């Protein structure tokens, strides 16, 4: 028995047990610290990229939104919240949100419905299924710039294939990109086609995850194709549809490339969505303060929309 054990009047066996527990606790703590260091070492490249390309631009936007800039784009003076009040008083924020919301309404429901119909039609095909899947997924491999150039030729008022088809059908040609009434619809048409590949692949993959025995049981009970689609496919596909809807709405509010190439916000600002307005303020007019304030407001709008969808729309989602 040691002197320490005699001082505290503890049995020798109890002292050895406590020492063993302390050693195990220290070893576990060291092992945990080592695992955490290893995890952070693997995460370091991702954290570095996030810091450089996401967190720093966000903090820089917050900084610039509180300052005015000179015609060369350099920071001139501190103006506080004047950039935000100017956006609301000039109507620039409301006009941009109105055009962007209309653009989202034209693209998101149509894109999801078209992809859902095509996925349902090709889901049970026995022959040619791969060919249809390849054809419907093809727009996804094209860049926004390439797709916009292709549609720019299609929308051409005199040489475009769309107006040629209308003339062959005896209809009047349409000013696709030159009329304020048609320009946003034309951009939406091209965007629905461009997003079709992603929506089709995700929804088609969700359909393949539905068990076949549920359809077999429904057939035995006498259910028809429409009833099975409404009562089995749609409820079990709701998590996939919810994901596609959230991603599509965020993508609609961030659309820029096709608008920059096809219309540049015109005619008469009919296609001046919020992101293009940010680009024009910051990199054409060199008002980085106003552009940064718009970017922060867009961030808040997208975050609120996403929270609303997860708060209200997700309640309609059926998880197995």
């Amino acid at each position: 028995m040691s002197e320490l054990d005699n001082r505290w009047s503890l049995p020798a066996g109890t002292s050895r047990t406590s020492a063993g527990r302390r050693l195990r606790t220290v070893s576990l703590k060291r092992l945990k610290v080592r695992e955490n260091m290893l995890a952070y070492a693997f995460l370091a490249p991702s954290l570095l990229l996030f810091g450089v390309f996401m967190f720093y631009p966000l903090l820089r936007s917050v900084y610039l939104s509180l300052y005015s800039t000179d015609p060369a784009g350099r920071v001139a003076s501190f103006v506080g919240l004047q950039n935000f009040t100017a956006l609301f008083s000039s109507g620039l924020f409301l006009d941009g949100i109105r055009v962007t919301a209309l653009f989202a309404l034209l693209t998101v429901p149509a894109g999801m419905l078209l992809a859902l119909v095509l996925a349902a039609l090709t889901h049970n095909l026995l022959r040619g299924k791969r060919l249809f899947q390849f054809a419907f997924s093809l727009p996804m491999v094209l860049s926004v710039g390439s797709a916009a150039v292709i549609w720019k030729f299609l929308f051409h008022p005199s040489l475009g294939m769309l107006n040629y088809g209308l003339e062959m059908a005896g209809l009047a040609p349409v000013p696709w990109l030159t009329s304020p009434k048609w320009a946003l619809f034309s951009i939406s048409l091209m965007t629905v086609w461009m997003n079709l590949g992603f929506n089709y692949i995700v929804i088609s993959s969700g359909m393949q995850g539905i068990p076949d025995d549920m359809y077999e049981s429904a057939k035995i009970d006498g259910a028809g194709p429409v009833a099975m689609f409404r009562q089995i496919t749609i409820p079990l596909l709701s998590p996939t549809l919810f994901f596609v809807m959230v991603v599509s709405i965020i993508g609609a509010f961030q659309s820029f490339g096709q608008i920059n190439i096809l219309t540049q916000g015109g005619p008469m600002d009919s296609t001046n969505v919020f992101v293009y307005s940010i680009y024009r303020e910051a990199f054409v007019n060199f008002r980085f303060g106003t552009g940064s304030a718009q970017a922060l407001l867009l961030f808040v709008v997208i975050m609120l929309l996403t929270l609303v969808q997860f708060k209200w729309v997700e309640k309609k989602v059926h998880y197995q």
Side-chain angles (χ1 to χ4, degrees):
M1 183 178 293
S2 64
E3 294 182 359
L4 182 63
D5 295 334
N6 292 329
R7 186 181 303 172
W8 292 97
S9 302
L10 294 175
T14 304
S15 175
R16 284 195 294 272
T17 303
S18 300
R21 288 177 180 173
R22 283 197 296 271
L23 285 175
R24 283 197 296 272
T25 303
V26 171
S27 300
L28 288 174
K29 286 183 178 178
R30 287 178 179 174
L31 181 61
K32 188 175 182 180
V33 170
R34 193 176 304 167
E35 289 180 349
N36 288 336
M37 291 178 63
L38 183 62
Y40 283 116
F42 282 112
L43 288 174
S46 299
L47 293 176
L48 180 62
L49 291 176
F50 273 108
V52 172
F53 294 106
M54 291 190 66
F55 299 130
Y56 173 73
L58 178 62
L59 297 176
R60 185 68 178 174
S61 297
V62 174
Y63 170 76
L64 288 176
S65 67
L66 303 176
Y67 286 82
S68 64
T69 55
D70 60 16
R74 294 186 293 264
V75 174
S77 61
F78 179 77
V79 296
L81 299 178
Q82 289 183 13
N83 288 326
F84 294 94
T85 56
L87 286 175
F88 286 102
S89 60
S90 66
L92 194 61
F93 171 75
L94 295 178
D95 290 341
I97 286 296
R98 180 183 59 79
V99 176
T100 308
L102 183 58
F103 177 70
L105 285 175
L106 289 173
T107 55
V108 175
M112 291 181 61
L113 182 61
L114 182 60
L116 178 63
V117 171
L118 293 177
L121 292 176
T122 58
H123 180 62
N124 293 321
L125 283 181
L126 298 178
R127 302 180 63 180
K129 183 176 180 179
R130 298 294 180 189
L131 178 62
F132 284 109
Q133 288 178 340
F134 171 76
F136 296 146
S137 307
L138 194 58
M140 194 175 64
V141 303
L142 293 176
S143 65
V144 178
S146 302
V149 170
I150 293 172
W151 279 87
K152 193 169 187 176
F153 283 108
L154 294 176
F155 285 137
H156 194 278
S158 57
L159 303 176
M161 292 297 294
L162 296 179
N163 276 348
Y164 178 76
L166 291 176
E167 290 178 359
M168 293 291 290
L171 301 175
V174 173
W176 297 101
L177 300 176
T178 56
S179 170
K181 295 181 180 179
W182 283 95
L184 189 62
F185 174 78
S186 305
I187 298 289
S188 303
L189 183 65
M190 178 256 174
T191 305
V192 168
W193 174 83
M194 192 176 63
N195 295 336
L196 178 62
F198 175 79
N199 293 346
Y200 173 79
I201 287 177
V202 174
I203 294 176
S204 181
S205 301
M207 282 187 177
Q208 292 178 4
I210 299 175
D212 293 333
D213 54 354
M214 300 190 71
Y215 293 109
E216 297 292 336
S217 301
K219 285 181 181 177
I220 294 174
D221 293 338
V226 177
M228 286 192 291
F229 181 78
R230 190 177 68 251
Q231 298 178 3
I232 296 178
T233 304
I234 294 298
L236 295 183
L237 200 61
S238 56
T240 305
L241 295 176
F242 178 70
F243 167 76
V244 173
M245 183 184 68
V246 173
V247 172
S248 299
I249 291 178
I250 294 175
F253 274 79
Q254 294 178 335
S255 296
F256 170 76
Q258 63 270 42
I259 295 167
N260 184 39
I261 293 175
L262 293 178
T263 61
Q264 297 183 344
M268 298 176 63
D269 289 339
S270 59
T271 60
N272 189 25
V273 295
F274 213 77
V275 174
Y276 189 79
S277 178
I278 295 171
Y279 163 77
R280 193 156 62 180
E281 280 293 304
F283 300 104
V284 177
N285 300 327
F286 293 103
R287 290 195 285 261
F288 289 101
T290 311
S292 299
Q294 283 183 281
L296 291 178
L297 289 176
L298 177 62
F299 168 74
V300 173
V301 169
I302 292 177
M303 184 178 65
L304 290 177
L305 280 176
T306 306
L307 290 176
V308 166
Q309 292 174 81
F310 275 93
K311 178 70 176 178
W312 303 105
V313 182
E314 197 184 19
K315 292 181 179 178
K316 306 294 182 183
V317 175
H318 175 78
Y319 292 103
Q320 295 185 30

